[in-house]
Amino acid sequence: MDSGINGSISPTGSQTSQPESVAQAFNGELCVMAPRMSPVGCSSESSFGGETDNLVEEVYVAKHSINKGLIYANQIDAYMSKVPTSNVPSLETNKEIDKNDIKTDENHDKNNLVEKIVVNVENDRKQKKIDNFEVVVSIDIGTTYSGYAFAYTRNQSDKQIHMMRQSEGGDRGLNNQKVPTILLLNPDEKFHSFGFAARDFYHDLDAKEAKEWLYFDKFKMKLHNNMDVNRESKVSALNGKNVSALLVFSHTLRYMKDHVLKELNDQGSYPRIRWVITVPALWTQQAKQFVREAAYMADICTPENSDHLLIALEPKAASVCCRHLHFDQIIQIEKGLVKSGSYMVVDCGGGTVDITVHNVSAQTGTLRELHKATGGPCGSIGIDEEFNKLLCAVFGASFMKRFQLERPAAYNELLLSFESRKRSATTFRTTSLNIFPPFAFIDYFRKVSGTEVEQAVKDYGHPELTWSNEGILKIHPSLMLLLFQPTLDKITEHIEAVLSSRRLDDAISYLFLVGGFSESQILQEAIKDHFSNRVHIIIPQAVSLSVLKGGVLYGLNPSVVTSRRVTHTYGLGVVKPFLNGIHPIDKLVIRGGQRWCVDVLERLIESGQAVSLGQVVSKKYTPASIQQSEIVLPVYATVSKNAQFITDPNVHKCGQLRLKLPQQKDIKLREIVVSLVFGGTEVSAFAVDSATGESVQTVLDFTS
């Protein structure tokens, strides 16, 4: 297989006549000619000197990236045959162009034609009908709890957002409009149950039998900020056995799909559905595509009707919900004039805390993102981790690890007892919070250590932690606050960093606190203590359902968010002419008598850059030969603002762009115009053959 594209470079960006010598210089491993990227219809300015709209700066994929990036070309997973990774609809050729007007010998006319084709094709994509869905369903797979919500699009008598109907157990005293994110597979890795049913069945198993079953919880964090997630990724069950992460997520989504379809069918409805799956703001493109492929496996939709599924950021969905409920509060009225307003959404969940800032237009009601989404893994499970550290300090880390492996069901029962007390903890409570360890914990500690639990608690020597004769572990409120504090500190640091941003310039008027963790009175008081003198803090009703409701509203109107800020810098690894005094000497390579700088990160789009919905960035590529059938381009991502090379720290290969070239009858090399579409939650791509105007099969794969 031909691995890429060929060409040559000149300091001015104009083409030379030595493509063969360049290819030979790198032993046939050069594979791409990539002009500097610019939005469609805009001129491109060369960093090496002036160039017109019709001149192209040619660069080459670095040898370093070729060695790593082309491994996957002939090793496509068998699953790929069933699930192609592109979610871009097929494109139609622009037939309005008169081929008699094409002057193939004149670059000026040729390039103008290319840009016209790309713009028309993209406009056709935007104009596709989106109003043929009868129901919008939003699915939120949370770290600790999951659920769905839906709304009818055409039933004028029913404008409600319906929450998940509970058909199984629940926890007394807790909000049960969601179910625990717990998946149970039998010893043969077949689906058994999900949610409360999975948890209760597992807890009823005897210790020996439980070790054979596959119990998964908090598995969502496997995808958080993970640049290495792919189709081969694994997650560990409670018994330590590794299982395909794609399988675990697809079982979870299939359960949700089956549940909502049953609820709709029970009402005599078999509608066409638009699905919305919400994900954390800081998830990588790899993680987002991973979720999409899990949805394909769950038969939520297929690659052929991929537009039936939208991936939405959790804080964006929550922001849409807050805008919907509090529009009159957010906009400002001064001297009879209505002005746009800005607000922050802090989405505190079980695993992550995501922060977004939006400006809402008083005229159109649309949202514009003012600050790129930020946050971190500082959700409520951080308190669970502090509790586990406390148990290790009291009973020994080796014992706790052994107890988790040998008595997994009892270990979960212990954590569940703490979970209910964690949720009821307040800043004004004066009496102890009671934790009820299962008898299996007390008995197992006696067998392993030869001492009683009561003695271990006494030996720990802290009055804030005591043991009662009734078998209750008592935690004083002051100790509970200490378990909360590390997580609270991280959350307030993230909020402070955004509020102090010079870009915002005190533009934020309101802070909406949403997400399941936001139900905690301790968290609410901490946020108020730190920030109530700077912004108005609003805690909406049913804060744990804000993301679900917002997901439905977003599915009803995806264009409500008109622009967003890019969270990562994306680019290609390229080779450029070596410039003395600018490029480091260790990147110098001399081939064919020419001096080259290798492994340069050619940026496509910058972290923090504002992009409008559907914004297109385009480049032209020339195949290495007329026989070439495929082009493979490695794509890199980084959060660093100073990265210059693909070998710099925090620069990761995040995916690859694959172009299937159509066969051609003539013997001329042609240009392929590749366009990447930003502005949405997912990055997509499409390509056009500039000579014929025909679409080129394009796959932007982030999970190879």
Side-chain angles (χ1 to χ4, degrees):
M1 182 197 75
D2 290 321
S3 61
I5 307 172
N6 206 347
S8 60
I9 298 178
S10 68
T12 63
S14 60
Q15 296 184 5
T16 71
S17 59
Q18 302 173 346
E20 294 183 2
S21 64
V22 175
Q24 293 168 358
F26 288 89
N27 301 319
E29 295 186 9
L30 283 176
C31 70
V32 62
M33 179 186 76
R36 178 177 292 279
M37 227 176 210
S38 61
V40 172
C42 299
S43 63
S44 176
E45 297 180 355
S46 170
S47 58
F48 300 114
E51 67 177 358
T52 70
D53 290 359
N54 308 313
L55 295 180
V56 176
E57 175 189 337
E58 300 170 11
V59 291
Y60 293 82
V61 164
K63 183 175 181 179
H64 172 87
S65 64
I66 293 169
N67 293 338
K68 302 180 85 173
L70 297 182
I71 296 174
Y72 308 102
N74 293 317
Q75 299 177 350
I76 305 175
D77 188 274
Y79 177 65
M80 282 286 289
S81 61
K82 177 182 178 183
V83 184
T85 54
S86 174
N87 62 334
V88 181
S90 60
L91 305 179
E92 303 240 348
T93 303
N94 185 347
K95 298 179 181 179
E96 297 180 0
I97 297 174
D98 186 355
K99 294 187 177 180
N100 294 326
D101 294 334
I102 301 176
K103 301 179 180 179
T104 56
D105 294 333
E106 296 181 24
N107 285 335
H108 176 81
D109 293 339
K110 181 179 178 181
N111 285 335
N112 285 342
L113 172 65
V114 169
E115 294 196 349
K116 182 178 180 182
I117 292 172
V118 174
V119 170
N120 287 342
V121 169
E122 178 59 14
N123 286 339
D124 287 344
R125 295 174 71 249
K126 290 180 180 179
Q127 292 169 4
K128 285 198 171 186
K129 295 288 185 181
I130 62 171
D131 59 353
N132 60 341
F133 300 103
E134 298 167 310
V135 173
V136 171
V137 176
S138 172
I139 298 177
D140 177 22
I141 305 300
T143 302
T144 52
Y145 284 85
S146 299
Y148 65 78
F150 66 90
Y152 294 97
T153 64
R154 298 181 182 179
N155 189 343
Q156 297 301 317
S157 63
D158 187 355
K159 293 294 186 181
Q160 295 185 48
I161 295 178
H162 301 268
M163 305 309 300
M164 180 178 186
R165 184 175 66 188
Q166 201 54 265
S167 60
E168 50 190 48
D171 291 327
R172 183 177 301 174
L174 298 182
N175 185 346
N176 292 310
Q177 290 184 287
K178 293 184 176 181
V179 297
T181 308
I182 296 173
L183 173 68
L184 183 63
L185 304 182
N186 65 26
D188 295 327
E189 299 186 13
K190 302 298 183 182
F191 177 84
H192 179 271
S193 52
F194 186 86
F196 292 111
R199 189 192 68 190
D200 296 343
F201 181 89
Y202 186 72
H203 287 170
D204 291 340
L205 294 171
D206 63 60
K208 184 177 180 180
E209 190 177 10
K211 292 170 64 175
E212 302 299 320
W213 285 68
L214 304 173
Y215 182 95
F216 300 90
D217 67 343
K218 301 180 178 61
F219 52 84
K220 180 181 177 181
M221 292 302 292
K222 172 72 176 180
L223 300 187
H224 179 73
N225 207 21
N226 188 348
M227 285 289 184
D228 299 320
V229 64
N230 56 55
R231 299 180 187 93
E232 306 302 323
S233 295
K234 305 286 186 181
V235 292
S236 296
L238 197 59
N239 62 4
K241 185 175 181 179
N242 291 326
V243 176
S244 165
L246 200 58
L247 181 68
V248 169
F249 277 85
S250 66
H251 277 314
T252 300
L253 290 172
R254 185 182 296 277
Y255 170 85
M256 290 292 171
K257 181 207 70 173
D258 292 345
H259 207 287
V260 71
L261 289 181
K262 183 179 185 305
E263 184 169 348
L264 292 171
N265 294 345
D266 286 348
Q267 300 176 33
S269 176
Y270 301 87
R272 290 187 299 273
I273 299 175
R274 160 165 279 171
W275 301 87
V276 179
I277 299 177
T278 57
V279 300
L282 295 184
W283 273 20
T284 62
Q285 290 297 327
Q286 296 97 306
K288 294 170 189 174
Q289 184 175 321
F290 180 94
V291 169
R292 177 170 286 277
E293 295 197 8
Y296 292 158
M297 286 186 66
D299 295 323
I300 283 178
C301 65
T302 67
E304 289 71 31
N305 61 7
S306 58
D307 58 328
H308 289 204
L309 170 63
L310 299 178
I311 305 295
L313 300 183
E314 290 169 2
K316 180 194 292 185
S319 181
V320 172
C321 180
C322 294
R323 160 223 177 252
H324 178 74
L325 297 175
H326 299 272
F327 181 81
D328 292 340
Q329 285 179 272
I330 298 170
I331 61 173
Q332 303 172 13
I333 301 178
E334 294 182 3
K335 298 180 180 179
L337 298 176
V338 180
K339 299 178 64 176
S340 300
S342 300
Y343 61 97
M344 172 189 291
V345 172
V346 182
D347 178 19
C348 302
T352 61
V353 170
D354 294 330
I355 301 173
T356 55
V357 180
H358 284 103
N359 173 270
V360 58
S361 169
Q363 287 71 38
T364 65
T366 55
L367 299 177
R368 180 169 56 90
E369 194 171 45
L370 301 182
H371 190 285
K372 74 173 185 178
T374 185
C378 46
S380 63
I381 62 173
I383 305 165
D384 300 342
E385 293 169 358
E386 292 299 316
F387 177 62
N388 187 63
K389 290 179 183 178
L390 175 65
L391 295 177
C392 289
V394 176
F395 303 107
S398 60
F399 166 76
M400 289 305 304
K401 184 175 181 179
R402 185 174 174 182
F403 177 65
Q404 179 180 354
L405 291 176
E406 296 295 326
R407 301 289 189 274
Y411 177 79
N412 264 353
E413 189 176 344
L414 174 62
L415 294 185
L416 183 62
S417 178
F418 175 74
E419 174 73 16
S420 61
R421 297 299 173 265
K422 177 182 71 176
R423 287 171 171 254
S424 62
T426 64
T427 55
F428 51 78
R429 182 173 182 137
T430 58
T431 58
S432 294
L433 296 110
N434 297 334
I435 310 297
F436 297 88
F439 175 76
F441 176 82
I442 301 171
D443 182 62
Y444 192 68
F445 183 76
R446 183 188 301 119
K447 290 180 179 179
V448 171
S449 66
T451 58
E452 297 294 329
V453 168
E454 181 179 6
Q455 187 60 46
V457 174
K458 287 182 179 179
D459 293 343
Y460 180 62
H462 287 260
E464 298 89 354
L465 187 70
T466 58
W467 181 263
S468 75
N469 294 330
E470 293 81 11
I472 301 173
L473 187 65
K474 292 179 171 291
I475 298 180
H476 192 271
S478 61
L479 178 56
M480 181 63 83
L481 288 176
L482 289 177
L483 299 182
F484 270 76
Q485 200 59 50
T487 300
L488 298 178
D489 290 342
K490 293 176 184 176
I491 295 173
T492 54
E493 286 174 10
H494 284 300
I495 297 174
E496 179 62 41
V498 176
L499 286 176
S500 302
S501 173
R502 288 182 295 175
R503 177 186 293 139
L504 298 177
D505 193 26
D506 298 324
I508 301 174
S509 302
Y510 295 92
L511 186 157
F512 289 91
L513 196 60
V514 302
F517 187 20
S518 296
E519 293 177 334
S520 167
Q521 189 269 342
I522 293 178
L523 173 61
Q524 293 176 6
E525 290 302 311
I527 300 302
K528 290 177 182 177
D529 289 345
H530 280 84
F531 305 110
S532 60
N533 62 331
R534 297 162 67 180
V535 292
H536 298 288
I537 297 174
I538 298 178
I539 304 171
Q541 293 289 329
V543 291
S544 64
L545 304 177
S546 297
V547 171
L548 272 177
K549 292 180 178 179
V552 172
L553 295 170
Y554 177 75
L556 291 169
N557 181 18
S559 61
V560 65
V561 182
T562 58
S563 72
R564 59 182 292 266
R565 299 275 174 172
V566 182
T567 57
H568 290 75
T569 293
Y570 293 97
L572 302 175
V574 304
V575 171
K576 286 189 173 182
F578 188 87
L579 299 178
N580 291 326
I582 295 180
H583 294 141
I585 194 66
D586 63 321
K587 295 294 182 182
L588 173 62
V589 174
I590 301 176
R591 293 290 187 272
Q594 299 188 50
R595 294 157 58 87
W596 307 97
C597 181
V598 297
D599 297 335
V600 177
L601 179 65
E602 175 80 349
R603 287 173 167 80
L604 309 181
I605 200 161
E606 297 278 353
S607 172
Q609 179 178 336
V611 291
S612 59
L613 183 65
Q615 181 169 325
V616 179
V617 183
S618 296
K619 277 194 174 184
K620 301 185 183 79
Y621 299 92
T622 301
S625 69
I626 60 174
Q627 292 83 20
Q628 188 168 332
S629 61
E630 185 175 42
I631 296 171
V632 180
L633 308 176
V635 182
Y636 293 85
T638 180
V639 294
S640 171
K641 293 183 177 295
N642 303 316
Q644 300 180 41
F645 300 95
I646 62 174
T647 53
D648 286 351
N650 299 318
V651 178
H652 307 274
K653 179 179 178 291
C654 66
Q656 61 185 13
L657 186 63
R658 303 169 65 92
L659 309 176
K660 296 284 188 180
L661 303 181
Q663 294 183 351
Q664 61 179 16
K665 296 180 181 179
D666 56 49
I667 60 173
K668 294 181 180 179
L669 287 176
R670 67 272 181 86
E671 287 182 331
I672 307 297
V673 180
V674 180
S675 298
L676 280 81
V677 185
F678 294 92
T681 305
E682 299 173 276
V683 178
S684 58
F686 63 96
V688 175
D689 188 322
S690 62
T692 65
E694 295 180 355
S695 61
V696 176
Q697 183 180 341
T698 307
V699 174
L700 183 56
D701 187 0
F702 289 106
T703 56
S704 294

